[in-house]
Amino acid sequence: MEEAYIVAYGRSPIGKGRQGGAYYYERPEDIAAQVLKGVIARVGSSFESQMIEDIVVGCSIPENMQGMNIGRRIALRAGLSEQIPGQTVNRFCASGLQAIAIASNAIMAKQADILVAGGVEFLSTTTFNNPEMTNNLFLEENGRHLSTSMGLTAENLAEKYCISQADQDQFAVESHRKAYHAQVNGRFEDEIIPVQVKNVKFHEGRPYVTEMTFKEDQGIRSDTNRDQLKKLPNVFKQGGTVTAATSSQISDGASFVVLMSSSKAKELGIQPIAKFMGYKVVGVEPDMMGIGPAYAIPKVLDLVGLNIEDIDLIELNEAFAAQALAVIKHLGLNQNIINPNGGAIALGHPNGATGSILTARLLAEMRKQSQSKYGMVTMCIGGGMGAAAVFEYIRHKSDLNGAYDRG
């Protein structure tokens, strides 16, 4: 069996997914194409884009602006050869990670040598359709509550695991604190691909459009504190504990990795960055959606033959503070190795792109932490699921704390 290696990675800065967000006047494939080109450019001079055999793109709402196989549109918009196909996959919040797993599995099965995988989600341009259109009466009447809002599933976990609003507020404050510290100290620079965006201002009802470079995540609030957060109302349940500040931000973003077989990387003289070791998805009770990672993590560790103590860094998607804390409490995880640079509460959660964004964030941080070897990306998934993947970082003498540059 072949081994699948990541040889390049990168992500866009994350924008607020609403009016006033950096991408509000952009099309998803236009921004994603810039990120894709930036990631491909990082592979190295011996690599040519026509070597790519497929583009696999995760997207949790492949409809409207993100419909009609956006994976193919991104490939063409990036100027890649018409002979390079593209596909779009949907596993809600794990879509980007699922795309990486699909591409890795194809390489390991010797069906391909070079693939690109990642994700895109622009919630400012592609909103959710009315969920009532898809509700199934039989499932709802027989305890399979797929219509339960994500916020209520977080409330359910807060109650089951005795997680107070104060606990959640403190978690949110820490997420912003860590993210702000990482941003001002340049810890995201290795993973971010700056993009050109439209800056639209109106005067007397007429738009004036200029172009600007967007290069920093937009959702971080440096002044977040517990005194502010404890005054916020709960938003999902009367008498509940979950607030807007302890929920992940609605966001826009894109991210990609280039994956290559071990034999092809050796042939081209390209240094691998990390090896894809394994991936697992599990199902859980839909009303307890957020606990999914607590069951996916043991399964993927068993698959790759590791223990939780072997894992040096974990990127756990912060769908909600209550949800993340429930997973940590359920497994007794070491919080010191989880989300060292903040999570989705501060940085945002562009659903279908999150898995690949977290992969880029994990690898960038592992490069800086010279003793780290095994890293994990994990998240809960709408509908009552959880996913987790394990990566092994490959050390090279050139791995220093400078900018990431494999070119």
Side-chain angles (χ1 to χ4, degrees):
M1 185 174 71
E2 274 281 9
E3 292 178 327
Y5 288 96
I6 292 174
V7 298
Y9 61 84
R11 67 173 180 92
S12 71
I14 301 172
K16 295 180 180 179
R18 52 182 169 79
Q19 191 168 3
Y23 301 126
Y24 186 72
Y25 296 100
E26 301 291 341
R27 291 190 62 91
E29 68 269 31
D30 290 345
I31 299 302
Q34 292 185 55
V35 179
L36 176 56
K37 288 192 287 186
V39 173
I40 290 172
R42 288 180 161 184
V43 179
S45 57
S46 64
F47 179 73
E48 298 178 354
S49 65
Q50 58 261 38
M51 297 177 179
I52 298 169
E53 296 167 76
D54 199 1
I55 310 287
V56 189
V57 179
C59 183
S60 78
I61 314 174
E63 305 166 10
N64 304 322
M65 276 195 182
Q66 298 182 155
M68 297 298 291
N69 190 5
I70 194 170
R72 172 64 167 164
R73 292 213 316 275
I74 291 169
L76 294 174
R77 184 64 181 84
L80 300 185
S81 167
E82 294 177 357
Q83 297 179 357
I84 299 173
Q87 62 172 298
T88 304
V89 300
N90 179 9
R91 201 188 285 273
F92 291 157
C93 301
S95 298
L97 191 60
Q98 184 70 52
I100 292 172
I102 288 171
S104 298
N105 290 339
I107 289 172
M108 293 161 72
K110 298 185 178 181
Q111 295 180 353
D113 280 309
I114 303 174
L115 296 170
V116 170
V120 63
E121 201 79 59
F122 274 46
L123 293 174
S124 63
T125 62
T126 307
T127 57
F128 288 100
N129 284 333
N130 189 340
E132 291 183 2
M133 294 175 63
T134 58
N135 284 349
N136 182 283
L137 184 60
F138 177 87
L139 292 177
E140 298 303 320
E141 289 181 342
N142 287 275
R144 306 295 177 88
H145 302 143
L146 290 175
S147 65
T148 302
S149 74
M150 299 297 98
L152 281 179
T153 67
E155 290 282 10
N156 291 341
L157 289 176
E159 183 176 341
K160 178 176 179 179
Y161 287 88
C162 300
I163 299 168
S164 68
Q165 182 169 337
D167 294 334
Q168 296 171 55
D169 289 348
Q170 182 59 38
F171 188 88
V173 168
E174 281 297 297
S175 184
H176 282 280
R177 183 193 64 78
K178 290 187 290 185
Y180 177 71
H181 181 269
Q183 188 175 68
V184 298
N185 286 284
R187 296 189 76 84
F188 294 135
E189 291 179 3
D190 291 358
E191 66 204 59
I192 287 180
I193 306 284
V195 294
Q196 296 300 116
V197 298
K198 299 181 188 70
N199 184 24
V200 182
K201 294 184 178 180
F202 292 86
H203 179 67
E204 295 181 351
R206 296 181 61 184
Y208 292 84
V209 182
T210 57
E211 200 170 74
M212 60 175 285
T213 301
F214 180 45
K215 58 183 180 180
E216 287 191 338
D217 300 312
Q218 204 174 21
I220 302 169
R221 297 190 295 272
S222 62
D223 59 348
T224 300
N225 60 71
R226 289 183 62 177
D227 288 337
Q228 291 174 329
L229 300 194
K230 70 181 182 182
K231 298 174 184 177
L232 297 178
N234 58 76
V235 291
F236 299 107
K237 179 182 178 181
Q238 187 173 3
T241 60
V242 179
T243 69
T246 58
S247 308
S248 56
Q249 297 184 36
I250 295 172
S251 311
D252 300 337
S255 178
F256 297 97
V257 303
V258 178
L259 289 146
M260 198 172 290
S261 67
S262 53
S263 57
K264 182 59 69 172
K266 184 176 181 179
E267 175 189 326
L268 297 176
I270 293 172
Q271 290 185 341
I273 296 171
K275 181 172 73 172
F276 172 86
M277 295 189 67
Y279 173 73
K280 274 291 188 179
V281 184
V282 301
V284 297
E285 184 182 347
D287 280 343
M288 297 291 179
M289 177 277 307
I291 201 64
Y295 295 91
I297 289 172
K299 285 188 177 293
V300 76
L301 289 172
D302 184 61
L303 175 70
V304 301
L306 295 174
N307 297 312
I308 193 62
E309 292 78 17
D310 298 317
I311 303 299
D312 300 296
L313 282 172
I314 298 174
E315 286 291 336
L316 166 62
N317 186 43
E318 298 171 0
F320 299 90
Q323 167 269 321
L325 286 168
V327 171
I328 291 167
K329 192 171 186 178
H330 185 98
L331 291 178
L333 298 178
N334 176 7
Q335 291 200 54
N336 293 326
I337 67 170
I338 296 174
N339 302 352
N341 296 316
I345 287 173
L347 292 160
H349 178 22
N351 300 5
T354 291
S356 51
I357 287 172
L358 294 185
T359 300
R361 190 173 300 151
L362 175 79
L363 298 181
E365 183 61 23
M366 291 186 78
R367 183 167 187 259
K368 297 176 182 70
Q369 296 193 19
S370 60
Q371 300 304 311
S372 61
K373 183 177 182 180
Y374 297 114
M376 178 183 291
V377 174
T378 184
M379 70 277 292
C380 58
I381 309 169
M385 294 178 283
V390 175
F391 301 89
E392 179 184 358
Y393 194 88
I394 309 300
R395 293 282 160 200
H396 301 285
K397 291 182 180 179
S398 60
D399 282 328
L400 302 172
N401 286 336
Y404 161 38
D405 181 8
R406 298 270 170 175

